[in-house]
Amino acid sequence: MLKQRIITALILLPIALAGFFLLEGGAFALFIAVVVVLGAWEWARLAGFEAQPLRVAYAALVAVLLYLVYAAPALAPWLLAIGVLWWAFATFLVLNYPDSSRYWGGLPGRLAIGLLILLPAWQGLVVIKQWQLANWLILAVMALVWVADIGAYFSGKRFGKRKLAPQVSPGKSWEGLVGGLLLSLLLTIVVGVVRDWSFTQFLQALPAAALVVLISVVGDLTESMFKRQSGIKDSSNLLPGHGGVLDRIDSLTAAVPVFALLLWLAGWGTL
C-alpha cells in the first residue's frame, strides 16, 4: 500500500502542480473541471447510484453545469455564497449525525448536495485564478488545509482523548482539531511577518485563516458522513493507495469557496 501511495503521488504531484500554477483562463477552468467531474462520478455512488450509466450521467450533468456557469460569470458571487451557506448547514448535519440524515432529502437531496459541494469549489478556484497573486493565493489555501491536517494528525495522536464527531469519524479528536488550527495560525503569522503585514492585516488574516481551517474540517467530515451512511471506505479506487478523488479534495471543497468569499469581502478582487 505504501509503495502504491508513493508511486501515485510521484505521478500525480507534477501534473497537479502544473495544472494549478501553469495553466490560465479557460485551460485552468477545464483542468479543475476534469477533477470536479471525476469527483461527481464518485459522489453519485455515495448518493446511491450503483449503476455505471447513472453515475456517468450525473458526472455529465455536472460537466454541463460547469460549462453554463463558466459562460455566465455574473453567477460567481451567488454560487460562492450558496456554497458558504451549504457548509454552514453541513456543520449542523455533521454535528448531529446520524439523526441529521433525515434532512438529506433522500436520493434527490443527496444528488443536490453533490452539486453544492463541487460547483462552488470549482467556482472559487476559477475566481481566485483571475486575481492578483493568484498562484500564491491558491497555494495559501492549500497550505492552510495541509498544515492543519498535519498538525491535527500529530496532536491528535499525542493528546487526543475527546472525540470530535464519533458517529462520523471516530479517529478525529478535539485535541487534534486544536493542534491543527494552532499550526495553521502559526503559518499565517510567519507569512505575515515575512510579508510585513500591518496590525490591522493580522487582525483580518488570523480569524479568516481560522475559519477556513475549521470549515475544511467540516468538508472532510461531510464526506466521511456520507461514506459511513453508504458503508463505503473510499470514494473510489481511481488513485491507487489514496482512494478516490473526493478523498483527496474533500477538505478543499469546503475551504476554497469560503477562502474566495473572504478575500472578495476584504477587497482583494472583483466578482
Side-chain angles (χ1 to χ4, degrees), residues 79-234:
L79 190 53
L80 290 178
I82 289 171
V84 171
L85 290 174
W86 153 250
W87 287 113
F89 183 58
T91 303
F92 163 79
L93 295 179
V94 166
L95 293 177
N96 292 278
Y97 179 80
D99 292 341
S100 62
S101 60
R102 66 179 183 269
Y103 299 114
W104 294 359
L107 176 61
R110 292 194 294 272
L111 294 174
I113 286 171
L115 302 182
L116 293 173
I117 290 173
L118 295 169
L119 297 185
W122 174 87
Q123 183 69 84
L125 286 173
V126 170
V127 165
I128 292 172
K129 190 66 173 181
Q130 301 169 15
W131 291 345
Q132 182 185 10
L133 299 177
N135 288 344
W136 288 106
L137 293 176
I138 292 174
L139 182 61
V141 67
M142 291 182 172
L144 279 175
V145 172
W146 293 339
V147 167
D149 282 345
I150 294 170
Y153 175 78
F154 285 104
S155 59
K157 193 170 184 179
R158 176 64 178 85
F159 304 106
K161 293 181 179 179
R162 289 169 290 186
K163 301 301 182 182
L164 177 61
Q167 299 298 324
V168 176
S169 183
K172 287 183 170 56
S173 66
W174 283 102
E175 292 82 2
L177 175 65
V178 171
L181 180 60
L182 290 177
L183 190 59
S184 65
L185 291 179
L186 177 60
L187 173 65
T188 305
I189 292 172
V190 171
V191 171
V193 170
V194 170
R195 295 189 59 83
D196 196 26
W197 286 352
S198 66
F199 180 71
T200 300
Q201 287 175 311
F202 273 108
L203 287 181
Q204 293 174 333
L206 289 173
L211 180 57
V212 169
V213 167
L214 290 174
I215 210 66
S216 75
V217 176
V218 176
D220 184 355
L221 290 173
T222 297
E223 195 211 356
S224 296
M225 178 174 65
F226 280 90
K227 287 195 296 186
R228 180 167 291 274
Q229 185 77 1
S230 303
I232 296 173
K233 182 177 183 294
D234 296 319

Side-chain angles (χ1 to χ4, degrees), residues 45-66:
R45 181 179 175 221
L46 295 181
F49 281 165
E50 291 292 341
Q52 282 295 346
L54 293 176
R55 296 174 65 188
V56 171
Y58 182 73
L61 171 64
V62 169
V64 171
L65 291 175
L66 290 176

Side-chain angles (χ1 to χ4, degrees), residues 23-42:
L23 297 178
E24 302 288 342
F28 175 80
L30 179 61
F31 174 78
I32 303 302
V34 170
V35 178
V36 168
V37 169
L38 289 174
W41 175 76
E42 294 176 342

